[in-house]
């Protein structure tokens, strides 16, 4: 595997379910990110991890819970979601995390549908 | 409030018809402007980083330029395979909504 991988690619869940999204990067990067992409809206940054520590949490509802066990893996745990949470969830990584920024490498995303 | 605005929202070009996409920003203390390409059903793919006004970068038919207020992505003699959504972002990870480019043969 190369680059950034995400599983599953598609997920349909009910509002009372609990599920997890998984992301793995094979680039040796130190920073990982979760984004939400909805139609007609810009990418919304959800969480940032640098060296397994959360460095940003952009007012995301508690029904989204991230976990970063090591610098190569990132999870997004989902529970009691709402229909408006249906979107494409993208994981990304970058060499490092600094104020001046590094280019990011994205996974293919998980298309989430909440019924 | 920091903001990134892209225009036009959509652009249809004939193959070989050159054009430019615009990304304007109101971010204070910009330290990097990024361009990405996103194909349907895929994650964004990194294209360019620009750090200072006057900087230019090229890749095949694409050239990105940066001023103090905006960035342009120039597409010279585009081909159908250049069809995609082009996103710009600044170093604080604020993205624009993108320009959806369609190139017809």
């Amino acid at each position: 595997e190369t680059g950034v991988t995400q599983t599953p690619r598609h997920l349909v869940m009910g509002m009372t379910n609990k599920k997890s999204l998984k992301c793995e990067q094979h680039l040796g990067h130190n920073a990982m990110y979760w984004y939400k992409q909805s139609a007609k809206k810009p990418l919304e940054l959800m969480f940032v991890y640098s060296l397994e520590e959360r460095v940003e949490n952009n007012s995301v509802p508690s029904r989204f819970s991230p976990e970063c066990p090591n610098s190569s893996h990132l999870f997004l745990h989902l529970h009691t979601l709402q229909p408006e949470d249906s979107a494409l969830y993208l994981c990304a990584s970058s060499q490092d995390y600094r104020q001046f920024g590094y280019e990011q490498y994205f996974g293919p995303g998980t298309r989430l549908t909440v019924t | 409030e920091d903001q990134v605005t892209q225009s036009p929202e959509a652009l249809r070009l004939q193959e070989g018809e050159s054009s430019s996409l615009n990304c304007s920003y109101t971010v204070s203390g910009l330290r990097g402007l990024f361009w990405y390409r996103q194909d349907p059903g895929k994650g964004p793919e990194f294209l360019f980083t620009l750090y200072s006004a006057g900087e230019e970068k090229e890749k095949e038919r694409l050239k990105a330029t940066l001023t103090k207020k905006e960035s342009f992505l120039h597409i010279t003699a585009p081909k159908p395979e250049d069809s995609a959504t082009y996103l710009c972002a600044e170093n604080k990870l604020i993205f624009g909504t993108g320009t959806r480019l369609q190139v017809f043969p």
Side-chain angles (χ1 to χ4, degrees):
Chain A
E1 292 275 17
T2 58
V4 180
T5 58
Q6 289 186 244
T7 55
R9 295 293 312 277
H10 301 272
L11 179 62
V12 179
M13 58 186 289
M15 294 169 63
T16 58
N17 291 159
K18 289 185 180 181
K19 296 286 184 183
S20 296
L21 309 185
K22 179 183 175 182
C23 175
E24 184 173 0
Q25 60 97 358
H26 309 267
L27 300 168
H29 288 166
N30 291 326
M32 296 188 76
Y33 311 77
W34 279 117
Y35 285 91
K36 175 183 179 182
Q37 187 173 37
S38 305
K40 303 288 186 181
K41 290 185 177 181
L43 266 73
E44 299 173 49
L45 179 65
M46 300 175 73
F47 302 104
V48 181
Y49 277 84
S50 176
L51 296 171
E52 301 134 54
E53 285 194 27
R54 192 188 308 180
V55 294
E56 280 200 39
N57 175 358
N58 283 2
S59 302
V60 178
S62 59
R63 57 186 183 269
F64 296 91
S65 174
E67 178 190 1
C68 187
N70 55 62
S71 59
S72 297
H73 293 86
L74 186 64
F75 295 89
L76 188 63
H77 304 298
L78 316 171
H79 65 96
T80 58
L81 294 190
Q82 304 298 310
E84 59 264 29
D85 297 323
S86 298
L88 181 68
Y89 288 85
L90 290 162
C91 173
S93 70
S94 66
Q95 180 183 337
D96 209 334
Y97 177 75
R98 293 285 189 272
Q99 269 302 104
F100 61 82
Y102 289 88
E103 64 266 20
Q104 296 176 303
Y105 295 83
F106 286 82
T110 294
R111 174 66 62 185
L112 173 66
T113 303
V114 181
T115 61
Chain B
E1 181 185 344
D2 295 335
Q3 204 167 8
V4 173
T5 304
Q6 291 188 249
S7 62
E9 186 176 317
L11 182 62
R12 293 164 57 99
L13 298 174
Q14 203 71 33
E15 184 172 3
E17 179 187 2
S18 301
S19 188
S20 296
L21 313 182
N22 177 265
C23 171
S24 63
Y25 57 90
T26 57
V27 175
S28 57
L30 182 79
R31 294 179 183 173
L33 191 290
F34 303 89
W35 282 97
Y36 293 87
R37 168 191 171 130
Q38 186 173 22
D39 293 296
K42 295 187 176 181
E45 175 189 346
F46 169 72
L47 292 173
F48 303 108
T49 308
L50 302 166
Y51 288 109
S52 57
E55 188 175 0
E56 298 183 352
K57 289 193 177 173
E58 287 189 66
K59 180 180 180 180
E60 296 181 359
R61 296 175 291 282
L62 300 177
K63 182 167 100 173
T65 61
L66 183 67
T67 71
K68 288 186 177 180
K69 294 290 186 185
E70 56 194 348
S71 178
F72 293 93
L73 185 64
H74 307 278
I75 303 177
T76 303
K79 297 182 177 182
E81 53 262 41
D82 294 322
S83 298
T85 295
Y86 291 85
L87 304 171
C88 72
E90 51 73 62
N91 57 276
K92 295 181 186 177
L93 308 180
I94 298 174
F95 278 76
T97 51
T99 294
R100 188 175 70 255
L101 173 66
Q102 293 177 288
V103 182
F104 295 91

